[in-house]
Amino acid sequence: MQTRPNSDINLLWGALILEELARLGVKHVCMAPGSRSTPLTLAAAAQDKLERHLHFDERGLGFMALGLAKASNSPVAIVTTSGTAVANLYPAIVEAWLTQVPLIVLSGDRPPELIGCGANQAIVQPAIFADYAKQVNLPTPDLAIAPNTLLTTIDEVVSNQTQPVHFNCMYREPLYPSELETLSQLVKTSLSGYVTPISDWLNHAFPYTDYGQASSSNLPTEDTMMRFVHGKGVIVVGTLSPKDNPQQIIELGQKLGWPIVVDAQSQLRQHPSVIGHIDQLMLNPKAAKFVEQADRVLIFGGRFISKRLISFIAEQQWHSYWQVLPTQQRLDPNHQSKRIWLASVSAMCGAQWPRSSSANWALSLVEMNQNIEALLTQHIDQSSFGEPQVVRQIAKVQTSKHQWFIGNSLPVRLYDMYSPITCETPAIYTNRGASGIDGLIATASGMALASKQPSTLLIGDISSLHDLNSLAITKQVNSPFVIVILNNDGGNIFNLLPVPNEAVRDEYYRLSHGLEFGYAAAMFGLPYNQVDCLTSFDEAYVDAMAFAGTSVIEVNVSPNQASDQIKLIAQWVKQH
């Protein structure tokens, strides 16, 4: 029977949850204000193992957590109150589920007797994220439920989890205790008898249940590899994280003697030892015909941006098709027959690979790739100011100590198509699971907050308007963080799509807005520059990278600049 106020047992459960999450590897907790989540908020406030981040908007909060998790390579907890606050996390949870990022939602909720009876701020929260998060519906805290039950529930769900988890936490009032107490203080009160079953856990710093590290690596035998490499092969690298150490694929390619073609999200797009300009090469009939000699393919990851690369993989009659993935998932929209190896990049590249019988069959591709680079230098770098020129200029000044978040729609496609060959490459981050334009400022802010490395966000104007209030999060960043907004006055990626006529395109797709971002930057107290030429952009970018905090650079270009230049370059590539 309950003998303590609800506020005390509520707070104890909140403290146990946050403590166990910290022991399971959570380093950051993102919180939005709210009353029903008070036990979780107060527990987080009393925690000394978690870095706390606050934001008033739950949608931005979820995306900030996503960026933190991606850049820190660790699960991130999110605390929200009840009602639509939880629903606002949905877009970020969808993206995290698709890209296998472990977000842990802790939502405060009304107890069962207040659901469906007109109580304030009460909605049905269990399973609110459908199949996009593993759901755990905790009971209301009660002394009749042993604390070790709570801990084993958390351990089983969170250990080795690579996708979102939703703990729905129902609390009865009163929610606010008379004073804020840490976990160690709480267990010394009259609740000491309640925590007796976990007394050993309280005296060490490890999870209550140790599941260890899940391992499901399976590698081909030497005989299998020997048969696979007997022919003209190509290595294709899709979306990989910096933590995957994709540089090892370069060594594998050199050992096999096969070319490596890469996606923008491979972390290798600018590397001099890969065929980075594959998207443009496939425009050229001679180059495309040459690449089609490949009869076996080794793919790392998936989720490619280039439709030409996707079509090439889909249309080839492969003798052997291998794909390397860290976990079992289906990453092939063309549903081709293949052999999937569940292994890390390191494990697969570290296998005893023999040299291919057709080593160096594609050396001509290196020259073709360099020819494309020379063409882009002439027709972008030495041409009129515009979006492709800005993308290449940012790429040229990045180093291995930088990180770059590239927004959806046109920016990431420009990087995929035109990024230059450079000696050093930054860590590249994107939100290409659902490929939405929402939450990009918040996600990039999380990235910058997690690693504290010099960071850049390249984003379009519509995406910026979509997430404008997340500029408030950027005030928390104390390292160089440059937001480059490509303002072409609307959704100009639709200039590249076969919309029936220009009137329909302008009225229903492009949505010209006529807005600038100077006043928005001023509202949030951010340094701001507006540029319309390469010289002024260079000066503004250098200044912004020297500033310990967030800066905004708005690049103003005409609505048709990028689309016209893309079409012109495509003509040159086809002819030369």
Side-chain angles (χ1 to χ4, degrees), residues 116 393 417 447:
Q393 190 64 19
M417 291 189 290
M447 172 198 73

Side-chain angles (χ1 to χ4, degrees), residues 2-283:
Q2 200 92 34
T3 57
R4 295 273 301 186
N6 285 332
S7 57
D8 290 350
I9 187 65
N10 288 345
L11 181 57
L12 176 60
W13 273 41
L16 291 173
I17 292 170
L18 270 297
E19 174 65 25
E20 189 68 342
L21 290 180
R23 297 187 186 195
L24 288 166
V26 174
K27 300 175 183 177
H28 302 269
V29 56
C30 298
M31 301 183 289
S35 184
R36 192 57 57 163
S37 54
T38 287
L40 296 163
T41 300
L42 296 183
Q47 255 284 344
D48 59 2
K49 298 177 182 177
L50 298 171
E51 188 172 342
R52 294 168 288 270
H53 307 272
L54 301 170
H55 187 40
F56 50 79
D57 170 29
E58 286 83 5
R59 188 181 75 167
L61 187 80
F63 279 107
M64 174 170 59
L66 181 70
L68 283 163
K70 286 185 175 186
S72 67
N73 299 321
S74 61
V76 172
I78 307 170
V79 174
T80 75
T81 192
S82 61
T84 58
V86 190
N88 274 292
L89 297 175
Y90 214 135
I93 297 303
V94 168
E95 179 66 27
W97 184 84
L98 287 167
T99 53
Q100 299 208 323
V101 178
L103 298 184
I104 302 169
V105 177
L106 306 171
S107 59
D109 195 5
R110 262 59 181 169
E113 64 269 19
L114 294 182
I115 304 299
C117 60
N120 182 49
Q121 204 171 309
I123 67 171
V124 178
Q125 293 178 193
I128 192 172
F129 300 119
D131 292 332
Y132 292 108
K134 186 170 184 177
Q135 64 165 316
V136 183
N137 300 308
L138 295 178
T140 55
D142 196 302
L143 292 176
I145 302 173
N148 42 328
T149 302
L150 177 62
L151 295 179
T152 57
T153 299
I154 297 168
D155 294 338
E156 192 276 327
V157 173
V158 175
S159 296
N160 294 309
Q161 182 70 11
T162 60
Q163 290 178 299
V165 175
H166 175 209
F167 288 95
N168 196 52
C169 308
M170 297 185 291
Y171 295 117
R172 289 191 172 95
E173 296 184 6
L175 302 171
Y176 297 89
S178 57
E179 57 183 291
L180 178 60
E181 294 176 297
T182 64
L183 178 59
S184 60
Q185 291 170 328
L186 280 167
V187 299
K188 292 176 183 177
T189 66
S190 58
L191 289 167
S192 58
Y194 174 72
V195 298
T196 298
I198 59 170
S199 56
D200 289 342
W201 176 83
L202 291 167
N203 292 318
H204 62 67
F206 307 103
Y208 188 79
T209 310
D210 185 0
Y211 281 91
Q213 194 72 28
S215 177
S216 60
S217 182
N218 65 324
L219 297 171
T221 64
E222 290 188 25
D223 183 60
T224 304
M225 288 188 288
M226 182 72 74
R227 292 195 300 271
F228 177 71
V229 303
H230 186 61
K232 294 181 178 180
V234 60
I235 298 174
V236 182
V237 189
T239 302
L240 295 178
S241 164
K243 69 177 180 181
D244 292 320
N245 298 317
Q247 294 277 350
Q248 296 169 92
I249 299 174
I250 303 295
E251 299 174 12
L252 176 60
Q254 292 169 346
K255 187 174 184 178
L256 293 178
W258 285 357
I260 304 170
V261 302
V262 299
D263 179 82
Q265 305 160 100
S266 64
Q267 311 299 325
L268 300 173
R269 174 61 183 84
Q270 298 170 232
H271 199 287
S273 297
V274 305
I275 309 302
H277 292 311
I278 187 64
D279 175 83
Q280 296 298 289
L281 280 171
M282 297 308 290
L283 280 168

Side-chain angles (χ1 to χ4, degrees), residues 321-339:
Y321 184 136
W322 285 9
Q323 186 175 26
V324 182
L325 297 172
T327 57
Q328 183 171 323
Q329 52 185 317
R330 187 168 57 163
L331 288 183
D332 176 14
N334 297 303
H335 309 289
Q336 291 171 277
S337 177
K338 65 180 68 63
R339 176 65 163 91

Side-chain angles (χ1 to χ4, degrees), residues 289-438:
K289 191 71 175 175
F290 183 84
V291 175
E292 288 167 5
Q293 295 180 61
D295 61 358
R296 48 208 73 203
V297 62
L298 174 60
I299 297 179
F300 287 87
R303 297 191 185 282
F304 302 105
I305 292 173
S306 169
K307 290 185 177 180
R308 283 180 277 270
L309 178 57
I310 293 171
S311 295
F312 163 66
I313 296 171
E315 293 167 6
Q316 281 290 97
Q317 296 299 310
W318 299 108
H319 174 277
S320 300
Y321 184 136
W322 285 9
Q323 186 175 26
V324 182
L325 297 172
T327 57
Q328 183 171 323
Q329 52 185 317
R330 187 168 57 163
L331 288 183
D332 176 14
N334 297 303
H335 309 289
Q336 291 171 277
S337 177
K338 65 180 68 63
R339 176 65 163 91
I340 292 180
W341 300 97
L342 299 181
S344 66
V345 171
S346 297
M348 183 58 81
C349 291
Q352 298 300 309
W353 288 90
R355 190 162 179 80
S356 171
S357 59
S358 299
N360 298 325
W361 71 270
L363 287 179
S364 296
L365 273 182
V366 177
E367 182 180 358
M368 294 179 190
N369 196 62
Q370 292 171 341
N371 289 341
I372 292 288
E373 177 63 20
L375 186 146
L376 297 180
T377 299
Q378 177 184 356
H379 290 281
I380 294 179
D381 299 350
Q382 299 169 6
S383 184
S384 58
F385 181 67
E387 295 170 73
Q389 194 176 74
V390 170
V391 170
R392 282 178 58 87
Q393 190 64 19
I394 295 174
K396 289 176 183 178
V397 299
Q398 303 300 297
T399 73
S400 58
K401 296 181 180 178
H402 291 82
Q403 52 186 8
W404 188 2
F405 191 99
I406 307 178
N408 284 325
S409 200
L410 196 53
V412 73
R413 287 177 171 84
L414 291 173
Y415 179 77
D416 190 53
M417 291 189 290
Y418 302 139
S419 184
I421 301 170
T422 59
C423 295
E424 286 196 81
T425 58
I428 297 291
Y429 295 94
T430 61
N431 277 358
R432 294 291 298 178
S435 299
I437 63 170
D438 47 351

